[in-house]
Amino acid sequence: MLDNIPTLPVAEIVDTITDWIEETFSFIFDPIKDDFGPFLDDLSGDYLAAIPPWIVILIVAVLAFFVSGKKFGLAIFSIIGLWFIQNQGQWEQLMYTFVLVIAASIIAIIIGVPIGILMSKSKTLQSILTPILDFMQTMPAFVYLIPTVAFFSIGMPPGVFAALIFATPPTIRLTNLGIRQVPNELIEASEAFGSTPMQKLIKVELPMAKKTIMAGINQTVMLTLSMVVIASMIGAPGLGREVMRALQRADVGSGFVAGIGIVILAIIIDRFTQYLNKQKGE
Amino acid sequence: MPIIKVENLSKIFGRKPQEAIGLLEEGYSKEDILEKTGNTVGVNRATFDVEEGEVFVIMGLSGSGKSTLVRLLNRLIEPTEGSVLIDDQDLATMDKEGLRKVRREKMSMVFQNFGLFPYRTVLENTVYGLEIQGMDKEKSKEKAIQALELVGLGGYIEQYPSQLSGGMQQRVGLARALANDPEVLLMDEAFSALDPLIRKGMQDELLDLQERMQKTIIFITHDLDEALRIGDRIALMKDGSIVQIGTPEEILVNPANDYVEKFVEDVDRSKVLTAENIMKRPETVSIEKHGPRVALERMREEGLSSIYVTDKQRNLKGYVTADDASDARKNDVKDLSQILKNDVPTVNLDTSMTEIFDIIQDTAVPVAVVEDGKLRGVIVRGAVIAALAGSEVNIDVG
């Protein structure tokens, strides 16, 4: 009986919408494609990769030492880990991956935190956004790689974009949650002394929600890293591409080496963001 | 002159507040309105004045609407109807800018769980109210330190709230509220989260501070003892309505209705304390030895309007009033027995406070405490109030 109902033209509708978006917003996509992409490529390939690895390793180790509260653990790990990557000839790939992750994370934070704040202020917005965020996180990443290529062609920008869709939700969610969890009495205290909404946000809500927001940002960074391999399918350079290449050639050894590189980068970034979250008042 | 005039102030929680207001005016109860409209009456047409410099206590059990009422006063909760006049400006209809100005300059609030910002030091917390006004850093710091010194926390300015005890945290809350030198201090169950000993100390301290500062304080509490101790006037709330407003004595002596009476009866001390605990050594004259002249002289010395008369064995004979004694002296009457009055209110040593209340309401003379017909002490009205309010009680009476 169900066979009598004609197939709904969902795929066609999505195609039409995608085409429309591509044409209508080409004034946004084109500069991203033409300027932002080469910028990221230059940044990774020409500038960062041009710095001698030992200097980078040294800087990271010193930062790690201070960020972790003058302990040697993270610093030593960074030195060994980064040296290993360099030793395996993956240094340039590491730079591409690092730039991809950082670019996507920064954009995710810039977009995510304000949306999270707005969401915490409005019940309506929260109920509209929650399913959208669920959708963004559960939709298989490969699916939105397709239109992404249509919008941005191949390379870094679609990689960043795909990572954004997947990785922004935690920052939005946890910013929203963090602000909603500020004890009511503190909100009242701030209002009772005559704070403007902006003062309340900056002096009370954000400091109180800081930990939760930072946890969200940490999640976001980790999720962008997890997108690195997938993004390489649409031409994003870096360690992910090495993994992909190894997969195509059934080259277990180099796949493992590139994978270890990603893990090392993930651990270093994760510890850095966690330590940043722990400072002061503890 | 009243500094705050509250008129007909109501708050309805729910979807159809106007409908509920209409029903309230028709005299429906809180329960009826909840049933009919699904709306909850938070505060029901509260009307009262607060005089400048007084401690006005709003007392009620939890759910009586007292915390809602105090939040209507600085509009942390939007009133559904009615007005709050402060210096002749209506807070309830004021625009946001004006409201902020009032909150910054005229009213501060102290919170039950202190409402301190955990990521700010004591000093940074105290300075908050001044900081958001955009006051110069040095000047605001100076003012905050003054306020902290006032509450005895001058040495703790660099600590974080979590490093302080509850009592000290609430002092920070108080200092923060005092730092912008407001006209009105709203204190929402400010001492309720403290343990009883500390609480009493804080009450005393507040009274000391109040003596020096003469602020107008609106104090919310569910604790009658606390209300009696610190309140110049008390408003009793039930189900969102104010059921009685009066001085502590008026509330205790003339409870407006059963609810107030029950509240008053609930004061622990009224059950525990007996006549013996609160009586005073009696001033007496002897029926055998003394005449109207001595009686009058004694009353003058002690500032009394009547005096008890006993015989040598201290058996209670009655009392004489100053008026009668004065007449008797003029008419040259020598014997006290001629002007003696016998309608003496008497109680036993173990009579409870609750019973003494009933007796003391109807009498102009002090109540006599009698054991086997002998006068052991007297109880004046003030002593009952004082005892209920938790002041020192007199146990050494022989």
Side-chain angles (χ1 to χ4, degrees):
Chain A
M1 192 182 119
L2 285 175
D3 291 340
N4 294 335
I5 304 171
T7 312
L8 297 172
V10 177
E12 286 79 359
I13 292 173
V14 173
D15 281 345
T16 318
I17 292 176
T18 311
D19 288 345
W20 179 78
I21 293 178
E22 193 190 338
E23 275 166 36
T24 320
F25 294 101
S26 64
F27 69 95
I28 299 176
F29 298 145
D30 288 346
I32 293 177
K33 200 160 41 182
D34 301 337
D35 300 329
F36 187 59
F39 165 73
L40 290 180
D41 286 336
D42 291 350
L43 183 64
S44 341
D46 293 351
Y47 297 106
L48 286 180
I51 306 173
W54 66 271
I55 294 185
V56 177
I57 295 175
L58 194 68
I59 293 173
V60 172
V62 169
L63 283 177
F65 177 70
F66 286 106
V67 161
S68 61
K70 303 197 175 165
K71 284 186 203 131
F72 288 103
L74 182 57
I76 292 172
F77 179 84
S78 304
I79 293 172
I80 297 174
L82 292 176
W83 166 78
F84 174 78
I85 294 174
Q86 196 270 339
N87 177 267
Q88 296 296 312
Q90 305 285 342
W91 189 260
E92 196 180 336
Q93 309 307 326
L94 175 72
M95 292 302 124
Y96 278 106
T97 299
F98 179 72
V99 166
L100 177 77
V101 169
I102 295 302
S105 301
I106 290 175
I107 297 173
I109 293 164
I110 292 173
I111 296 173
V113 172
I115 292 181
I117 291 170
L118 292 177
M119 193 171 163
S120 73
K121 301 287 173 193
S122 155
K123 262 194 183 152
T124 326
L125 194 60
Q126 175 171 257
S127 46
I128 294 171
L129 279 179
T130 306
I132 296 179
L133 295 179
D134 292 341
F135 183 85
M136 285 164 72
Q137 282 191 293
T138 47
M139 189 73 166
F142 297 100
V143 174
Y144 50 76
L145 288 182
I146 310 164
T148 309
V149 174
F151 299 154
F152 300 107
S153 91
I154 59 165
M156 278 272 215
V160 170
F161 185 80
L164 274 182
I165 292 184
F166 189 57
T168 313
T171 294
I172 299 179
R173 279 188 215 274
L174 287 169
T175 302
N176 172 42
L177 180 72
I179 292 179
R180 283 182 187 269
Q181 275 178 342
V182 176
N184 191 35
E185 206 174 58
L186 295 188
I187 302 291
E188 282 189 332
S190 138
E191 281 177 359
F193 284 99
S195 307
T196 60
M198 194 46 107
Q199 285 173 330
K200 184 173 74 179
L201 179 70
I202 289 173
K203 290 180 190 290
V204 180
E205 288 172 325
L206 288 181
M208 285 301 289
K210 193 183 129 208
K211 277 191 166 244
T212 315
I213 296 175
M214 287 300 288
I217 289 175
N218 177 271
Q219 290 273 301
T220 291
V221 178
M222 291 298 109
L223 289 182
T224 42
L225 254 171
S226 76
M227 281 296 283
V228 161
V229 176
I230 295 174
S232 69
M233 291 181 70
I234 45 172
L239 294 166
R241 185 185 280 172
E242 295 303 307
V243 174
M244 193 60 67
R245 191 176 292 154
L247 177 69
Q248 283 155 357
R249 298 181 191 161
D251 182 350
V252 182
S254 37
F256 183 77
V257 167
I260 286 286
I262 293 177
V263 171
I264 290 169
L265 181 62
I267 291 175
I268 294 175
I269 293 181
D270 178 59
R271 295 301 183 271
F272 261 86
T273 49
Q274 281 191 18
Y275 277 121
L276 285 176
N277 196 13
K278 270 186 194 159
Q279 280 174 350
K280 215 183 165 185
E282 266 170 276
Chain B
M1 195 195 84
I3 185 164
I4 294 182
K5 283 169 84 81
V6 175
E7 265 163 40
N8 221 10
L9 193 62
S10 297
K11 175 65 190 180
I12 310 290
F13 295 104
R15 293 230 188 114
K16 294 175 255 172
Q18 286 314 319
E19 192 180 320
I21 288 275
L23 290 174
L24 262 188
E25 269 153 20
E26 285 166 37
Y28 284 93
S29 76
K30 188 174 169 168
E31 283 79 28
D32 292 342
I33 290 174
L34 182 63
E35 206 169 290
K36 274 180 191 265
T37 66
N39 289 338
T40 308
V41 180
V43 172
N44 177 6
R45 290 169 296 165
T47 299
F48 59 90
D49 292 346
V50 179
E51 300 293 327
E52 199 170 339
E54 82 171 332
V55 180
F56 187 84
V57 175
I58 299 172
M59 188 181 70
L61 298 174
S62 57
S64 61
K66 57 193 190 304
S67 284
T68 307
L69 178 57
V70 76
R71 280 167 176 72
L72 294 177
L73 297 184
N74 64 355
R75 240 174 86 185
L76 284 178
I77 296 177
E78 290 289 329
T80 311
E81 204 177 62
S83 61
V84 179
L85 294 175
I86 173 162
D87 296 336
D88 296 322
Q89 288 174 288
D90 188 0
L91 213 82
T93 54
M94 204 174 263
D95 64 7
K96 291 216 161 115
E97 194 52 47
L99 178 64
R100 269 201 289 276
K101 209 165 142 61
V102 169
R103 285 171 174 178
R104 287 176 176 187
E105 290 164 12
K106 293 186 178 166
M107 279 182 171
S108 303
M109 191 157 174
V110 180
F111 294 86
Q112 177 168 11
N113 297 308
F114 323 134
L116 299 178
F117 306 120
Y119 50 90
R120 284 175 163 243
T121 63
V122 166
L123 179 63
E124 287 166 348
N125 262 290
T126 312
V127 98
Y128 184 84
L130 303 169
E131 184 182 308
I132 56 172
Q133 296 178 25
M135 186 185 276
D136 171 75
K137 272 223 165 83
E138 283 304 310
K139 201 175 153 201
S140 59
K141 188 176 165 188
E142 197 179 301
K143 280 195 159 191
I145 289 177
Q146 273 174 12
L148 283 167
E149 274 165 2
L150 203 61
V151 298
L153 283 182
Y156 294 86
I157 56 174
E158 293 304 330
Q159 308 258 1
Y160 283 89
S162 57
Q163 295 170 296
L164 305 181
S165 69
M168 281 157 94
Q169 289 190 35
Q170 192 55 297
R171 278 175 222 218
V172 179
L174 193 57
R176 180 176 62 180
L178 291 173
N180 28 338
D181 197 26
E183 291 167 27
V184 181
L185 214 52
L186 304 175
M187 303 184 74
D188 178 27
E189 300 253 17
F191 303 149
S192 301
L194 305 175
D195 67 61
L197 263 178
I198 310 266
R199 188 192 306 182
K200 206 172 163 216
M202 289 293 284
Q203 290 164 359
D204 290 340
E205 223 164 284
L206 181 68
L207 291 175
D208 282 352
L209 274 176
Q210 173 62 358
E211 229 163 75
R212 278 182 279 163
M213 301 182 309
Q214 295 293 316
K215 298 271 180 217
T216 306
I217 299 178
I218 297 179
F219 195 102
I220 311 296
T221 181
H222 62 265
D223 179 357
L224 183 60
D225 289 350
E226 188 166 74
L228 294 171
R229 268 173 73 86
I230 64 174
D232 293 323
R233 283 191 308 146
I234 298 172
L236 257 163
M237 285 190 79
K238 188 200 178 195
D239 293 343
S241 311
I242 293 183
V243 285
Q244 188 174 10
I245 299 181
T247 62
E249 177 160 355
E250 281 164 6
I251 300 252
L252 287 180
V253 177
N254 290 312
N257 59 25
D258 290 353
Y259 175 73
V260 182
E261 201 160 359
K262 268 210 191 108
F263 223 128
V264 170
E265 276 174 9
D266 273 347
V267 175
D268 296 344
R269 290 184 181 78
S270 63
K271 289 172 188 153
V272 180
L273 293 183
T274 62
E276 192 175 5
N277 300 126
I278 55 167
M279 67 187 186
K280 293 201 314 180
R281 180 181 293 280
E283 289 304 325
T284 57
V285 287
S286 161
I287 195 159
E288 290 104 344
K289 286 192 289 194
H290 303 135
R293 189 176 290 267
V294 176
L296 209 55
E297 186 61 21
R298 282 267 165 90
M299 283 186 260
R300 201 179 56 75
E301 270 172 24
E302 300 294 332
L304 303 170
S305 58
S306 60
I307 193 163
Y308 279 104
V309 181
T310 60
D311 63 13
K312 268 184 203 152
Q313 285 76 42
R314 292 189 70 81
N315 285 315
L316 181 62
K317 290 294 173 195
Y319 68 94
V320 296
T321 65
D323 290 347
D324 288 350
S326 158
D327 288 346
R329 195 181 60 172
K330 273 186 216 142
N331 302 334
D332 223 18
V333 178
K334 291 273 180 334
D335 196 348
L336 279 176
S337 58
Q338 290 183 31
I339 55 170
L340 198 62
K341 286 194 169 155
N342 290 316
D343 56 335
V344 184
T346 61
V347 295
N348 295 319
L349 284 173
D350 56 359
T351 307
S352 78
M353 295 270 295
T354 324
E355 286 169 67
I356 297 170
F357 262 155
D358 296 339
I359 297 165
I360 214 160
Q361 284 177 45
D362 308 324
T363 167
V365 290
V367 173
V369 184
V370 181
E371 187 184 29
D372 300 333
K374 290 188 181 15
L375 182 65
R376 295 289 305 274
V378 296
I379 297 171
V380 294
R381 204 179 277 196
V384 180
I385 310 288
L388 283 173
S391 313
E392 303 304 306
V393 282
N394 210 0
I395 310 195
D396 60 314
V397 178

